[in-house]
Amino acid sequence: MSENGKKTMAKQKSNKFWVFLILVAIGAATFIFGLNGRHPERAWQAYLINFLLWSAIAQGAVLFSAVMHMTKARWSGPLSGLSESFTAFFPISYILFLLLFLGKAHIFPWLHEDLHGKEVWLNIPFLFTRDCIGLLILYILGFGYLFNAMQLKLDPNQPKSKLRQSIYDAWKRNNRQPDQIRRRMTIWGGLYILAFALVLCLIGFDLIMSMDPHWISTLFGAYHFVKAFYMGLGALIILAAIIRLRQGEASRLNASHFHDIGKLYFAFCLLWADFFYVQLLVIYYGNIPEETHYVIIRTVLAPWNKLAWTVFIVCFIGPFFILLRQGVKTKPVLMLIICSVVIVGLWLEHLLLLAPALSHEATQAIPLSLSDGLISLGFLGLMAFAIGYFLKVFPETIRVKESN
Amino acid sequence: MPRERHIMGLFRDEDSVVSAINELKQSRYKFIRVNTPFPSHKIMDALKLKKSMVGWFTLCGGILGFIGGFGLAVYASTQWNLIVGGKPVIAWVPFVIVGFEATILCSVFGNVIGLLTQARLPSYRWLRYYDPRCSGEYFGVLAACEIEQEDGLKEFFQKQGADVKVFE
């Protein structure tokens, strides 16, 4: 690429960073404005939904790389490298979780309720301790996997920045051979996969299911991590589509990559719907009032039934029929649109799960307004900033050889 | 009686097969078929076949299975009109299981029927002109010509770098 070309691309990239930071500023401003308004719990509700959504996206996307490595898959090619870029969001996600502590009075409806013995599990110190430790373990395992995975991709003769130089020094100290590195990747990757399942189950139970503390569904944690992988794959497709559209042939992402990951995405659309249906069927057949009130409020009664049907159509029926055709999966623009719409749908799904418990007064209208959208834009800016920063510091991620 | 001679050229790599097919199609000899020991994208592209209809068979099977599965469950429930645990007689939530499984079953049936009909299986027509080396390490390109042109076709294959097998 010519010097001029490099300069314009660098300027384009720094322009992008300003756009992301502006989005973050809009989101933060809306959030703080909401906090000082009449309904701070609405602002915290939006914060919680977005924290869960974007953290799950990052965790699920990184899972793709770990799974591809563990199964010795070769079809993913550059996609595995792209998915590792989502680890950049992990530190941001952790800080966002810690900030959740500030809103505990508005987020957790069970703070002053009689929990009939569940206080042993649902109390603020224990909840935050176990979730902090869980997320820390998950993110450390993710970074451990990344540390080893990067070693096989990066060119040590191009330090470019202090961060890279310190990583290179660590690699030189360890002085490992490629097959040793791959074995370590297998170990870290396997532990990450295990931690993903366990920690996301924990988060699902603690931060979503516990909002209605008298309702349980055993599969709820697993439902959350299946949803996380579904969202992570969607975000990976969006990122791959953006890279492909901007770089064309140089991205080394061709139609067969999109076709393959589109098929995997279709499979997880089915799996997510299946995990939802399995919980629904059991509750439907048991017809125990303790369990059914949660489902009835969200799927049968107004105003939530409209939202429930919207979520079902946007996140399952739509993608199912659209993604049946082979042609759709191979076109990056179409997949970008479809996956974005599905992520918006899953945002609404989080709203559907959380809002009836968090906003008791909302019996007429769904508590959804422009401020929720603006706060979400802020989180989108954070995610885009994290990934953009990662791809700037490690541009080799986009140019990866076929086999891992 | 057709006075045709069938000759098979046996190649060891796909690229020479692709060039042989392309040249054969432009020559006066009749290209019939290729036997490959493994599926090859390059050869498939060179053959320029029409798009397969098997997907439509699968879709039709799936749609019929979906309607059939739900139909079976609805029909069975309405025969007895039992109210189980306070559920309606026609309860869509549990019927999804029957419908889903029937969709998968019938779409698989549709796929298999599509495969058999579109590939015209079982096919005994070309068994006569088959060399067992085609399941080993050779690709077999089958062509036909007039009896008089037999030597020309043999030379054609040998120029492409293939072993030649002449069938009666």
Side-chain angles (χ1 to χ4, degrees):
Chain A
M1 211 193 292
S2 64
E3 269 303 308
N4 253 343
K6 271 206 188 104
K7 283 211 189 93
T8 24
M9 201 148 118
K11 211 158 67 125
Q12 273 175 358
K13 285 215 171 90
S14 57
N15 284 344
K16 280 269 159 14
F17 279 118
W18 279 116
V19 171
F20 300 150
L21 289 174
I22 289 174
L23 286 179
V24 174
I26 293 176
T30 317
F31 178 63
I32 294 173
F33 189 69
L35 281 186
N36 297 324
R38 274 187 310 155
H39 295 284
E41 65 274 5
R42 285 285 306 279
W44 279 112
Q45 174 184 294
Y47 183 94
L48 179 65
I49 292 175
N50 280 299
F51 163 72
L52 288 166
L53 188 93
W54 296 101
S55 300
I57 285 177
Q59 292 150 354
V62 176
L63 183 77
F64 178 75
S65 176
V67 167
M68 286 295 114
H69 176 78
M70 294 293 283
T71 54
K72 298 188 174 53
R74 294 179 50 172
W75 61 265
S76 49
L79 289 169
S80 301
L82 274 182
S83 66
E84 284 153 16
S85 67
F86 282 87
T87 50
F89 191 73
F90 285 173
I92 301 177
S93 157
Y94 199 71
I95 295 173
L96 289 172
F97 176 71
L98 295 175
L99 289 177
L100 213 58
F101 183 79
L102 298 172
K104 62 184 188 295
H106 299 291
I107 294 178
F108 298 107
W110 41 258
L111 272 183
H112 307 291
E113 263 187 44
D114 179 11
L115 290 174
H116 307 302
K118 280 191 194 165
E119 307 87 40
V120 184
W121 184 256
L122 289 179
N123 57 74
I124 293 290
F126 189 23
L127 188 144
F128 272 95
T129 314
R130 63 173 177 261
D131 286 347
C132 278
I133 295 177
L135 282 176
L136 194 65
I137 293 175
L138 180 68
Y139 292 160
I140 287 177
L141 290 173
F143 276 115
Y145 174 76
L146 180 77
F147 182 74
N148 286 290
M150 284 274 110
Q151 196 169 357
L152 294 176
K153 292 190 187 72
L154 294 191
D155 181 4
N157 298 323
Q158 297 202 36
K160 279 191 194 149
S161 75
K162 276 225 284 277
L163 175 64
R164 282 175 72 128
Q165 191 56 51
S166 54
I167 297 177
Y168 290 143
D169 292 339
W171 284 340
K172 248 213 292 272
R173 275 198 306 273
N174 293 331
N175 194 23
R176 293 201 185 99
Q177 301 304 312
D179 48 304
Q180 275 178 306
I181 298 172
R182 275 189 211 100
R183 238 178 6 114
R184 289 182 157 261
M185 272 172 76
T186 307
I187 297 173
W188 285 103
L191 288 173
Y192 176 80
I193 294 172
L194 190 62
F196 175 86
L198 294 173
V199 172
L200 262 83
C201 267
L202 185 66
I203 299 283
F205 287 137
D206 278 344
L207 293 180
I208 310 181
M209 199 178 82
S210 74
M211 296 312 173
D212 194 334
H214 303 291
W215 181 76
I216 57 165
S217 167
T218 320
L219 198 66
F220 200 89
Y223 170 70
H224 184 70
F225 77 65
V226 167
K227 201 177 10 167
F229 198 25
Y230 181 33
M231 289 195 282
L233 283 174
L236 179 62
I237 294 174
I238 293 173
L239 182 62
I242 292 173
I243 303 266
R244 166 78 202 187
L245 290 171
R246 289 190 63 195
Q247 294 193 356
E249 286 294 320
S251 63
R252 309 182 90 252
L253 288 164
N254 49 38
S256 64
H257 286 126
F258 282 98
H259 188 202
D260 290 333
I261 200 167
K263 281 191 284 196
L264 191 64
Y265 185 68
F266 177 68
F268 269 88
C269 171
L270 283 172
L271 191 68
W272 167 78
D274 188 50
F275 271 60
F276 160 74
Y277 172 70
V278 160
Q279 298 177 85
L280 177 73
L281 182 70
V282 167
I283 293 174
Y284 175 89
Y285 248 116
N287 212 11
I288 305 173
E290 206 172 49
E291 295 178 352
T292 55
H293 77 269
Y294 189 91
V295 175
I296 289 177
I297 292 176
R298 284 161 180 75
T299 61
V300 176
L301 299 180
W304 302 106
N305 55 354
K306 288 202 273 292
L307 185 64
W309 277 105
T310 309
V311 166
F312 187 61
I313 293 173
V314 167
C315 298
F316 175 62
I317 307 275
F320 180 85
F321 285 105
I322 296 174
L323 293 177
L324 273 180
R325 291 191 62 85
Q326 174 186 3
V328 174
K329 294 191 274 270
T330 52
K331 295 190 177 56
V333 180
L334 290 178
M335 287 308 286
L336 191 134
I337 297 173
I338 294 169
C339 294
S340 306
V341 170
V342 168
I343 289 185
V344 170
L346 286 168
W347 193 100
L348 291 172
E349 191 259 358
H350 280 94
L351 181 75
L352 179 69
L353 291 177
L354 288 169
L358 293 180
S359 311
H360 280 294
E361 319 86 55
T363 45
Q364 306 307 332
I366 299 170
L368 184 64
S369 66
L370 182 63
S371 59
D372 297 305
L374 291 177
I375 296 177
S376 310
L377 276 183
F379 278 78
L380 170 67
L382 277 175
M383 172 70 86
F385 179 78
I387 297 176
Y389 177 75
F390 186 95
L391 290 178
K392 190 169 88 139
V393 176
F394 303 109
E396 291 92 336
T397 320
I398 310 181
R399 294 185 286 277
V400 161
K401 291 196 288 287
E402 266 299 312
S403 61
N404 228 351
Chain B
M1 184 175 129
R3 298 168 58 77
E4 266 192 344
R5 181 69 83 214
H6 291 89
I7 297 181
M8 180 180 272
L10 291 149
F11 297 81
R12 296 202 70 146
D13 66 291
E14 337 174 72
D15 294 309
S16 42
V17 173
V18 171
S19 64
I21 292 175
N22 289 331
E23 287 193 28
L24 205 54
K25 285 190 178 169
Q26 288 167 353
S27 73
R28 60 199 158 145
Y29 308 113
K30 196 167 75 174
F31 164 75
I32 297 177
R33 65 201 312 256
V34 187
N35 287 318
T36 61
F38 58 84
S40 162
H41 283 294
K42 290 187 198 164
I43 297 179
M44 286 293 292
D45 292 335
L47 288 175
K48 295 195 181 50
L49 298 167
K50 282 196 314 245
K51 196 158 182 334
S52 169
M53 300 279 291
V54 175
W56 293 104
F57 278 80
T58 315
L59 181 68
C60 289
I63 292 174
L64 284 176
F66 186 79
I67 298 173
F70 271 99
L72 175 68
V74 169
Y75 174 70
S77 311
T78 51
Q79 292 306 296
W80 295 92
N81 280 328
L82 295 172
I83 298 182
V84 181
K87 311 287 185 293
V89 172
I90 301 182
W92 296 109
V93 174
F95 290 1
V96 166
I97 299 184
V98 181
F100 173 73
E101 302 295 342
T103 307
I104 296 181
L105 180 70
C106 293
S107 58
V108 170
F109 281 163
N111 199 23
V112 173
I113 292 174
L115 173 68
L116 292 177
T117 54
Q118 299 304 297
R120 313 274 194 273
L121 295 173
S123 159
Y124 305 105
R125 185 175 176 202
W126 301 111
L127 264 186
R128 267 189 293 164
Y129 308 116
Y130 178 74
D131 189 305
R133 284 175 283 178
C134 295
S135 323
E137 67 271 10
Y138 284 92
F139 296 83
V141 179
L142 186 66
C145 62
E146 308 282 316
I147 298 243
E148 301 85 47
Q149 299 166 340
E150 176 184 333
D151 292 320
L153 186 51
K154 271 208 295 216
E155 259 180 59
F156 173 85
F157 276 129
Q158 276 156 351
K159 256 206 325 250
Q160 299 280 330
D163 296 344
V164 173
K165 170 128 182 212
V166 181
F167 295 98
E168 298 314 310

